Amino acid sequence: MLTANKLMPQGRGLAPVLLKRAATIELDWDVRQKSRFDATDSQGRQIGIFLPRGTAVRGGDVLVAEDGSLIRVIAAPQPVLRITHCTAHGTPFDLTRAAYHLGNRHVPIELKPDHLKIEPDHVLADMLRSMHLIVVAVEEAFEPEGGAYGSHEHSHGGGGHSHDHSHDHGHAHASSKGPKPLVLAPELLDAHEHSHGHDHDHDHHGHSH
């Protein structure tokens, strides 16, 4: 059996021609959330995947086998519940409320601008319908949101991106009595105190269907 213990998120850094030639494996989320599993690729090879614990494999990721060959991962369609808001009696904000309640139950959720996806659960489906949401059983790829501190970088639209915010504020104060400007050390600069007060009063109205 061929083994693979290296993962390249979304095949980043690889030439498109290499990705096109790579073998593929089609896996559902139940398998892809495991760090160690066996699979058969499109060339009929048995692959043993051994990744760092806690690693989740996403559709579009590329595994590197011990012989240097590449295996591109495809997220397989699987049964999921597709959740949308009711255009007749609700608003898109209903999806935010649904995500909140599902999150409180630690349910894996795929977040989209206009819908949510979860794994099939008739109890949750009934709860969501009682919240005026439309729940439909479909067969689609499932890519739930990763944890905020997960080791695998979440990608958007097939490509990853990182945020690096660096703020460097330097203040130079010129002395009115001396010929040279006086530069104060950071600890001597004026302190800025920000106070934000929020007072929210929410009034929820019931919906009649």
Side-chain angles (χ1 to χ4, degrees):
M1 176 184 290
L2 195 62
T3 62
N5 55 19
K6 182 179 179 181
L7 180 71
M8 302 182 71
Q10 302 302 297
R12 199 168 303 121
L14 295 174
V17 65
L18 293 178
L19 292 174
K20 187 176 181 180
R21 292 175 181 172
T24 59
I25 50 174
E26 193 167 350
L27 308 168
D28 63 19
W29 174 245
D30 184 57
V31 175
R32 287 185 288 109
Q33 65 180 310
K34 300 173 182 176
S35 55
R36 300 186 179 190
F37 56 89
D38 297 336
T40 303
D41 71 9
S42 58
Q43 298 177 3
R45 300 179 300 174
Q46 291 293 316
I47 311 293
I49 290 85
F50 299 91
L51 300 171
R53 294 197 181 279
T55 302
V57 182
R58 301 286 181 172
D61 287 350
V62 174
L63 297 163
V64 183
E66 58 187 338
D67 64 356
S69 61
L70 305 175
I71 305 104
R72 183 167 51 87
V73 178
I74 298 173
Q78 64 182 80
V80 292
L81 298 180
R82 197 173 194 274
I83 305 154
T84 55
H85 78 278
C86 175
T87 56
H89 304 95
T91 72
F93 180 71
D94 293 336
L95 288 176
T96 302
R97 293 178 59 241
Y100 170 80
H101 288 289
L102 292 170
N104 276 346
R105 290 163 174 79
H106 304 287
V107 176
I109 316 169
E110 181 173 351
L111 305 175
K112 294 292 185 180
D114 61 348
H115 68 274
L116 308 174
K117 289 184 202 173
I118 62 172
E119 293 176 298
D121 186 307
H122 72 276
V123 174
L124 293 177
D126 290 343
M127 178 194 77
L128 294 166
R129 290 187 178 107
S130 72
M131 296 168 60
H132 317 298
L133 291 154
I134 299 171
V135 182
V136 180
V138 296
E139 291 253 345
E140 295 180 357
F142 185 49
E143 294 283 9
E145 191 75 7
Y149 302 100
S151 60
H152 191 147
E153 179 182 346
H154 183 71
S155 68
H156 300 265
H161 65 264
S162 63
H163 299 276
D164 183 15
H165 301 280
S166 177
H167 300 278
D168 184 13
H169 301 280
H171 301 270
H173 301 269
S175 172
S176 59
K177 295 182 180 180
K180 295 182 180 181
L182 175 64
V183 180
L184 298 180
E187 61 268 19
L188 298 179
L189 296 176
D190 293 336
H192 299 279
E193 183 176 325
H194 300 277
S195 175
H196 301 276
H198 299 279
D199 184 13
H200 299 283
D201 183 14
H202 300 280
D203 182 18
H204 299 282
H205 300 280
H207 300 277
S208 176
H209 292 259

